[in-house]
């Protein structure tokens, strides 16, 4: 045990490990805050759908980068560098936000409703994304690129200082928005019709939830990849709901569980060389099982 | 209202914590033991992946440093130019990606006589350098030496990515 601790202390001297832990904890905190709302609004699967949109958007941005470089002029080369240096966020974030708005805001008024719309956009983006990556590879290792995008791989350990700043700012915006509009989010989550009837612009708050969801999805892709993002959103909320009943209690408990599991997952994966995303989700599953067990005693009383 | 202000300040504090740690532009590795500036043999494979990625993306910070690394031996010959490339590859935890560093042995070694079989797990030491070809940055260990290991590498069939 002391050997593991000294190894961990040594690893913590590396900048990229500290970056991974900071970003991991911030992402997990943001995901858990919104997770409660999404689960209660029956949008648990939207994380999956939007992450696949982000995957498709990364592929589009990679192709664009490839094309700009192929043109060969100095201006296009510089533009390509800008795209690849910020992990394609300039393209990925607006496209994901657009998809989120379409799914969450107009979902009620369209011919293709709810889960069908999410499923259609999800698999459609995944297919187009893989098709583009395959036809216009950004490196010689296509399977590695796809695997890294889908499962996060070890990309959380390859963050730069600038990535940490971008992630921190995005996380701060999400947290501050959630705290400031907590009461409105609470109202929209539980009874949208009543909220509308009481004069609150529920559509505006739904739009805000959609945008925040998209931001969280985009910043989460580095941590767990696009296939495992839903776990970050769903598991902490469901675990908290096993034993707590109030909205505030569930949100706080969910945040604590999520941050704890992300921290434990990252540290274990670094020490024992396991995939970061899968290890975090495994920790989330373990906590869910423990809380489910504890809930049996709660009901028994 | 006070509670809300406190919560907003707490969130801002979290943001500043993140920003504060990100001030340095490039990553720096702590000094390794045994006379090596970077000893990758002392790290877990996840850590090695992160460290090699840092060496590739922040190449200037590592130029001239003495590096020791362990992985599977790989060979590639460019049929058009006739140039030969030798590298040591390390797979990441998900086993779908590889990070590798090219090396150039001391003296005038000849392939395949002076090299191990492809896929053999080897330890390589050398002085870190980098060069650019087209848009890609390639890292290499100069004046390198190979120390053969006992166990052969498990998988030699993966697609390779050297940058």
């Amino acid at each position: 045990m002391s050997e593991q601790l000294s190894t961990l202390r040594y690893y913590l001297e590396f900048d990229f490990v500290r970056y991974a832990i900071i970003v991991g904890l911030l992402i997990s905190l943001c995901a858990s805050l919104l997770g409660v709302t999404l689960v209660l609004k029956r949008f648990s699967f939207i994380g999956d759908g939007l992450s696949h949109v982000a995957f498709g958007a990364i592929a589009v941005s990679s192709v664009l980068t490839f094309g700009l470089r192929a043109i060969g002029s100095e201006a296009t080369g510089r533009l390509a560098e800008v795209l690849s240096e910020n992990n394609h966020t300039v393209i990925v974030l607006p496209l994901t936000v657009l998809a989120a708005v379409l799914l969450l805001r107009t979902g009620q008024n369209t011919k293709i409703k709810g889960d069908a719309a999410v499923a259609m956009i999800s698999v459609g983006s995944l297919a187009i994304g893989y098709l583009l990556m395959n036809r216009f590879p950004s490196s010689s290792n296509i399977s590695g690129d796809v695997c890294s995008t889908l499962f996060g791989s070890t990309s959380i350990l390859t963050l730069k200082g600038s990535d940490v700043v971008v992630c921190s700012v995005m996380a701060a915006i999400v947290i501050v928005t959630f705290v400031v509009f907590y009461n409105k989010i609470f109202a929209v989550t539980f009874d949208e019709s009543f909220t509308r009837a009481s004069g609150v612009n529920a559509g505006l708050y739904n739009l805000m939830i959609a945008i925040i969801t998209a931001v969280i999805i985009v910043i989460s892709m580095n941590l767990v990849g696009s296939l495992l993002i839903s776990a970050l959103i769903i598991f902490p909320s469901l675990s908290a709901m096993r034993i707590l009943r109030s909205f505030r209690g569930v949100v706080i408990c969910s945040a604590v569980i999520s941050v704890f599991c992300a921290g434990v997952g990252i540290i274990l994966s670094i020490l024992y060389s396991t995939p970061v995303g899968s290890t975090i989700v495994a920790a989330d599953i373990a906590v869910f099982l423990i809380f489910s067990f504890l809930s049996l005693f709660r009901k028994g009383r | 209202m006070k509670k809300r202000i406190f919560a907003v300040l707490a969130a801002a504090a979290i943001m500043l914590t993140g920003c504060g740690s990100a001030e340095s532009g490039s990553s720096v590795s702590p000094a390794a033991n045994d006379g090596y500036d970077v000893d990758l043999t002392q790290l877990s494979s996840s850590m090695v992946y992160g460290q090699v990625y840092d060496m590739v993306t922040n190449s200037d910070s590592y130029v001239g440093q003495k590096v020791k690394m362990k992985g599977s031996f790989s060979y590639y010959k460019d049929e058009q130019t006739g140039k030969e490339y030798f590298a040591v590859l390390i797979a990441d935890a998900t086993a779908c990606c590889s990070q590798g560093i090219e090396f150039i042995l001391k003296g005038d070694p000849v392939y395949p006589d002076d090299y191990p079989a492809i896929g053999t797990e080897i330890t390589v030491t050398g002085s870190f350098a980098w060069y650019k070809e087209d848009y890609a940055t390639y890292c290499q260990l100069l004046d390198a030496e190979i120390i053969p290991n006992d166990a052969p590498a498990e998988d030699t069939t993966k697609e390779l990515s050297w940058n």
Side-chain angles (χ1 to χ4, degrees), chain B residues 126-144:
Chain B
S127 177
F128 187 86
W130 67 273
Y131 63 95
K132 261 200 158 173
E133 253 180 32
D134 298 327
Y135 292 101
T137 301
Y138 296 94
C139 300
Q140 55 184 189
L141 299 181
L142 302 176
D143 297 326

Side-chain angles (χ1 to χ4, degrees), chain A residues 37-56:
Chain A
T37 299
L38 291 175
V39 168
L40 290 172
K41 281 173 80 69
R42 303 285 189 271
F43 273 119
S44 299
F45 221 57
I46 199 163
D48 222 47
L50 289 180
S51 60
H52 292 174
V53 171
F55 173 81

Side-chain angles (χ1 to χ4, degrees), chain A residues 11 13-17 19 22 26 69 140-141 144 147 153-154 157-158 161 168 172 175 179-180 183 269-270 273-275, chain B residues 4 7 11 14-15 18 21-22 24 28 30 43-47 49-51 53 92-94 96-97 135 159-161:
Chain A
Y11 286 172
E13 290 177 32
F14 289 79
D15 279 355
F16 64 84
V17 173
Y19 292 165
I22 291 167
L26 285 175
R69 280 179 179 157
S140 58
N141 188 5
C147 176
S153 192
T154 43
L157 291 171
T158 61
S168 301
I175 294 166
V179 170
V180 171
N183 289 330
S269 68
I270 290 169
S273 290
T274 54
Chain B
R4 184 178 291 179
I14 291 169
M15 180 187 79
S21 302
S24 58
V28 179
L43 305 177
S44 70
S45 69
S46 291
M47 285 292 294
Y49 189 86
Q51 178 62 55
Y53 184 89
D92 79 326
T94 51
C96 61
C97 306
Y135 292 101
E159 258 187 284
L160 311 180
S161 176

Side-chain angles (χ1 to χ4, degrees), chain A residues 153-261:
Chain A
S153 192
T154 43
S155 53
I156 189 76
L157 291 171
T158 61
L159 298 175
K160 287 179 278 185
S162 55
D163 298 325
V164 181
V165 173
V166 170
C167 182
S168 301
V169 171
M170 282 175 153
I173 291 169
V174 169
I175 294 166
V176 169
T177 307
F178 187 86
V179 170
V180 171
F181 297 103
Y182 173 83
N183 289 330
K184 297 287 189 290
I185 291 172
F186 174 84
V188 171
T189 301
F190 278 100
D191 196 337
E192 199 172 315
S193 305
F194 179 76
T195 310
R196 280 183 201 280
S198 59
V200 175
N201 188 348
L204 179 71
Y205 291 104
N206 274 332
L207 176 68
M208 191 179 74
I209 290 171
I211 292 171
I212 294 175
T213 305
V215 171
I216 291 171
I217 298 296
V218 171
I219 60 177
S220 300
M221 285 192 72
N222 268 330
L223 182 62
V224 292
S226 65
L227 283 184
L228 299 175
I229 284 176
S230 288
L232 275 190
I233 293 172
I234 297 165
F235 272 113
S237 312
L238 291 179
S239 300
M241 285 174 197
R242 297 284 94 188
I243 56 169
L244 293 167
R245 290 292 172 263
S246 75
F247 185 74
R248 180 168 297 183
V250 169
V251 168
I252 293 170
C253 183
S254 164
V256 172
I257 292 169
S258 188
V259 168
F260 173 76
C261 290

Side-chain angles (χ1 to χ4, degrees), chain A residues 101-175:
Chain A
V101 171
L102 288 174
L103 285 174
L104 278 176
R105 193 148 182 256
T106 62
Q108 302 299 321
N109 306 321
T110 52
K111 287 179 182 173
I112 305 170
K113 291 201 185 278
D115 58 341
V118 173
M120 189 184 73
I121 287 187
S122 172
V123 292
S125 305
L126 199 61
I128 297 296
Y130 184 58
L131 190 66
L132 289 173
M133 272 192 173
N134 203 282
R135 293 304 301 160
F136 306 98
S138 56
S139 79
S140 58
N141 188 5
I142 300 169
S143 60
D145 288 347
V146 173
C147 176
S148 182
T149 316
L150 290 180
F151 293 102
S153 192
T154 43
S155 53
I156 189 76
L157 291 171
T158 61
L159 298 175
K160 287 179 278 185
S162 55
D163 298 325
V164 181
V165 173
V166 170
C167 182
S168 301
V169 171
M170 282 175 153
I173 291 169
V174 169
I175 294 166

